[in-house]
Amino acid sequence: MSARRLVLADAPGAAEACARYVADRLQQALDAGSLATLAVSGGHTPKLMFEKLALLPVDWRRVHLFWVDERCVPPDDAASNYKLAKENLIVPAHIPDRNVHRVVGEIDPQEAAQEYADDIRRFLKLAADEMPQFDVVQCGMGPDGHTASLFPGEPLLDDRKGIAGAVYAQQFSQWRVTLLPGPLLAAKWLVYLVTGEDKAETLRAVFEEKPNPKKYPTQIALEHPEGANWFLDEAAARLLDS
Ligand code: 6PG
C-alpha cells in the first residue's frame, strides 16, 4: 500500500499541514453525509495540531469526537488525553458536549474499554462483529515505535477483531485504554503526525525494515488499504529515503 508522506520544515509546519488535511477530510465526509467522525491521539504532538484545527472552517456541530487511546486517569488529570483535546480543540472549536465520546479513564480499565467499545457500537449502530469505520483517525508514534497505546510486544496487537482494549503501559506505570488495530485499519483516512529528532531512527525502521508490528507497532499503519497519510517534520524524517 502506498503511504503518502509530507515532510515539513518543522513541527508547527507539520501540525498546520496535518490540521488542514484533517479539516478537508472532515468536510468531505460532511458533504457526503449528515455526520463525520474523528478519533484523535494524545501525548505531546497533537496539541499544536489541535490549536490549528480549531481555527479551521469545519461544521463542528456535525462532527463527533472519539479517542484513539486514553490514559486511565480522571478527565481533569494532566495526563488525560481528553483534557488535552478539551483545552485545545473542543472548547476553542465549540464542539457540543453531546458530540464528545470520551473514554471514562477514571473507572476500572477493563470496564472503561468495554464501555468505550459499546459506546462506539451504539453510536455507529454496528452489528455485533462489525468494525467501526471512523472518517478520520489521527495517530502518533512513540520513540519506541508504539502507536495508540499499542506498545512493542503487546498481545492485543494480534487482535484484529476487537474495537478497544485495556493495556498496562509498563514504561509509564499506567493503565491505558486503546483502540485495537481493526479500527485503525478500517479508518476512511488514517493520518499520522510524527515530529522530532527522537523519532527519526524508529521511523526509518517502520518504513524500511520488514513488517514486524510486535517490534514496531506503528508498522500496522502500512497495512491500511488506501495507505496512511504521514505528516512529518524534517527532524523526524531525516533518515528516510525520500
Ligand atoms: C498517548 C498517545 C500515543 C502518542 C505517542 C506519541 O496517549 O500517548 O496517543 O500513542 O501518539 O506516544 O506521543 P508524543 O506525541 O508525546 O511523542
Side-chain angles (χ1 to χ4, degrees):
M1 281 331 111
S2 60
R4 284 168 295 286
R5 293 194 311 227
L6 202 56
V7 180
L8 292 305
D10 54 23
E16 176 79 33
C18 182
R20 288 187 180 286
Y21 183 82
V22 170
D24 291 348
R25 299 291 78 71
L26 288 175
Q27 208 47 54
Q28 198 172 337
L30 290 172
D31 295 344
S34 57
L35 294 174
T37 52
L38 167 64
V40 296
S41 282
H44 301 97
T45 311
K47 185 176 185 299
L48 262 180
M49 190 272 287
F50 290 161
E51 289 169 354
K52 295 175 186 296
L53 183 56
L55 301 173
L56 294 172
V58 174
D59 184 357
W60 292 108
R61 294 164 307 168
R62 297 196 289 139
V63 176
H64 281 251
L65 189 63
F66 295 81
W67 275 260
V68 165
D69 64 343
E70 180 60 286
R71 293 86 178 272
C72 292
V73 294
D76 57 358
D77 189 289
S80 164
N81 286 345
Y82 164 76
K83 185 173 187 287
L84 176 79
K86 182 179 181 199
E87 292 171 354
N88 299 288
L89 177 60
I90 297 171
V91 171
H94 308 292
I95 300 178
D97 286 347
R98 66 180 177 280
N99 293 21
V100 175
H101 304 260
R102 78 177 179 92
V103 175
V104 185
E106 62 270 33
I107 65 174
D108 170 78
Q110 304 296 347
E111 279 174 37
Q114 186 58 55
E115 273 195 21
Y116 188 49
D118 293 347
D119 180 22
I120 292 169
R121 278 200 191 86
R122 239 186 340 268
F123 177 77
L124 296 173
K125 300 184 179 61
L126 300 178
D129 56 358
E130 204 179 339
M131 190 54 71
Q133 183 181 48
F134 295 111
D135 292 305
V136 179
V137 171
Q138 175 266 320
C139 290
M141 181 194 82
D144 62 352
H146 81 262
T147 192
S149 282
L150 298 166
F151 293 89
E154 172 54 52
L156 287 176
L157 281 160
D158 297 325
D159 182 342
R160 298 302 175 109
K161 291 200 165 32
I163 293 178
V167 301
Y168 187 70
Q170 206 77 38
Q171 74 251 59
F172 302 105
S173 311
Q174 182 184 64
W175 277 96
R176 305 249 185 126
V177 169
T178 183
L179 289 181
L180 299 174
L184 304 186
L185 294 175
K188 201 166 173 115
W189 293 286
L190 181 58
V191 176
Y192 270 76
L193 176 61
V194 181
T195 62
E197 175 72 28
D198 62 336
K199 310 232 173 125
E201 172 44 39
T202 305
L203 208 53
R204 181 205 64 70
V206 164
F207 281 109
E208 294 169 13
E209 291 189 13
K210 67 178 179 29
N212 180 1
K214 275 284 173 60
K215 185 175 177 188
Y216 303 112
T218 298
Q219 282 185 324
I220 287 171
L222 305 181
E223 301 169 32
H224 189 275
E226 273 83 44
N229 304 277
W230 301 76
F231 296 87
L232 313 172
D233 68 354
E234 279 171 11
R238 77 176 179 79
L239 299 175
L240 296 178
D241 295 342
S242 46

